[in-house]
Amino acid sequence: AFRTGLPTGAPTTSNPAHCVPSGPRVNTPAPFHSANPGLLSLPHSRHVRAAQRIQAMAQTVAKIKQELNRRDIFKVVAKRLIGSATGLATIMAAPGPKSAYAEGPAIAADKCPNLKELGKKSRAPGFTENLYTGVWYELAYHDVTQANYFCGCTRFNFTIRSDSSIEDMFTTTCPMTGILPGEDVAKKVYTLNMSITYDKSKPGEFVEKGFQIGFPNVVLFVWTKTGKDGKEYYDRSLQMQCVEAAGKILFVGINFLARSPKVSKPELDQMFDKAKELGIDAYGGSRQGMYLVVHENCKYPISTDASVMGPRTDFPGPLMGEVEYVTYPDPRVDVYL
């Protein structure tokens, strides 16, 4: 979670949505000042600085998403105008585009749930990080740091690097399609290399570092299947992150992950039902709060190892150089077939 397919700069409303815009950029909102009485109550100055960075990042991405939402509506309207003989009358009578932008206030907007306790109660005993490694495809998310609609083909690759650390290499493709008429933007694969620290005595509880900020990340539930070799593996996962300070939620991230880029409707329904059962639908884990990731005509790097991709920072950037790509399924990458 906590990733974005957009580069550091983002297009303004006067410039079509390009992944690497050359024109004017959205101005970053003024930083969230520590003069706020709530932040003054934080125990340490580094907590204040972390809260400021999260707040500024959320505000910036929210403005970008508002612009993408406006363009999405424009696209729907343009299609209706072109395909309708009655024009405006048909547009006014037709329902608006389905909202999938997880940026509205959650029902429970003041306090994070106790994710650690929730995970302990909901996960089956014996969770192990060893079965959580490998390639995961993102099916849906609620996450202000990801660009809804604009990006897709999103994938993670978890690799254990030591007894306490996991490399999380994130890749996404932007843009998935031209948004405005006449717009022709080449797709690019963007990467973000995040690091995860974990304690084997606390299974399913991670601290994930991205954007130079550490986020608590808890695996709330996993669905298992039996492979061709007769061994059990983790097939789907529901994980959540929540950051709270001074009695207010600053960030919520919810991810539906699977070993394949597409799952059956009953399997996806199971994930939404589990989110509701756990009570995280109130935090954005509902069908209205989650954005379904598009996995169409995707190409994925065959490896995200540093020896292939070169050193990466924990900020997003385009994939550079000669890298071999694969499509799903590829037995060299998708070992759980």
Side-chain angles (χ1 to χ4, degrees), residues 25-296:
R25 300 175 183 268
V26 172
N27 292 326
T28 303
F32 188 75
H33 295 293
S34 59
N36 185 301
L39 288 181
L40 289 175
S41 64
L42 293 178
H44 196 280
S45 61
R46 72 172 183 272
H47 297 156
V48 174
R49 292 193 295 271
Q52 289 173 340
R53 289 197 296 269
I54 294 171
Q55 186 84 354
M57 179 178 66
Q59 290 173 353
T60 301
V61 177
K63 286 185 175 295
I64 295 171
K65 291 172 71 175
Q66 287 174 2
E67 168 61 10
L68 294 176
N69 193 12
R70 183 191 68 79
R71 295 178 184 216
D72 194 20
I73 294 173
F74 177 84
K75 183 179 179 183
V76 173
V77 172
K79 283 185 176 179
R80 289 177 181 163
L81 274 173
I82 294 171
S84 172
T86 55
L88 185 60
T90 301
I91 294 172
M92 297 302 291
K98 182 180 179 180
S99 175
Y101 293 83
E103 58 192 19
I107 296 173
D110 292 334
K111 188 173 181 60
C112 289
N114 190 329
L115 294 180
K116 294 181 179 180
E117 290 302 314
L118 201 57
K120 290 176 182 178
K121 292 179 181 178
S122 61
R123 282 191 314 268
F127 177 89
T128 171
E129 286 76 15
N130 291 331
L131 292 182
Y132 206 68
T133 58
V135 170
W136 289 95
Y137 297 88
E138 188 169 49
L139 303 177
Y141 63 80
H142 176 105
D143 185 346
V144 73
T145 68
Q146 294 195 57
N148 296 359
Y149 175 77
F150 196 60
C151 302
C153 300
T154 308
R155 194 183 74 168
F156 314 106
N157 192 353
F158 297 145
T159 305
I160 292 180
R161 296 303 186 192
S162 74
D163 289 339
S164 61
S165 67
I166 297 174
E167 178 188 74
D168 175 8
M169 181 63 82
F170 167 85
T171 59
T172 191
T173 299
C174 309
M176 286 301 291
T177 182
I179 295 180
L180 295 177
E183 186 175 66
D184 183 16
V185 182
K187 290 183 179 180
K188 288 189 177 181
V189 176
Y190 287 79
T191 67
L192 176 62
N193 189 9
M194 294 185 290
S195 58
I196 295 173
T197 57
Y198 69 98
D199 184 340
K200 288 185 176 181
S201 67
K202 301 176 182 179
E205 300 175 11
F206 305 141
V207 175
E208 191 161 10
K209 184 172 180 288
F211 305 99
Q212 297 185 347
I213 300 171
F215 297 86
N217 184 16
V218 177
V219 179
L220 297 179
F221 196 82
V222 291
W223 288 262
T224 61
K225 284 185 177 180
T226 302
K228 293 180 179 180
D229 58 1
K231 296 180 180 180
E232 190 177 75
Y233 69 93
Y234 296 156
D235 177 63
R236 285 170 290 142
S237 171
L238 193 167
Q239 61 180 31
M240 180 173 177
Q241 313 85 39
C242 193
V243 178
E244 174 190 336
K248 293 290 183 181
I249 290 179
L250 299 179
F251 174 84
V252 172
I254 301 172
N255 310 96
F256 289 2
L257 307 178
R259 295 298 188 180
S260 60
K262 296 181 181 179
V263 299
S264 67
K265 183 179 183 301
E267 288 177 322
L268 188 60
D269 288 343
Q270 277 184 338
M271 302 183 84
F272 281 111
D273 291 343
K274 177 59 68 173
K276 185 174 182 180
E277 176 188 324
L278 297 176
I280 64 172
D281 57 329
Y283 294 84
S286 64
R287 295 179 187 275
Q288 293 74 32
M290 298 289 286
Y291 178 76
L292 298 179
V293 180
V294 176
H295 286 274
E296 298 289 349

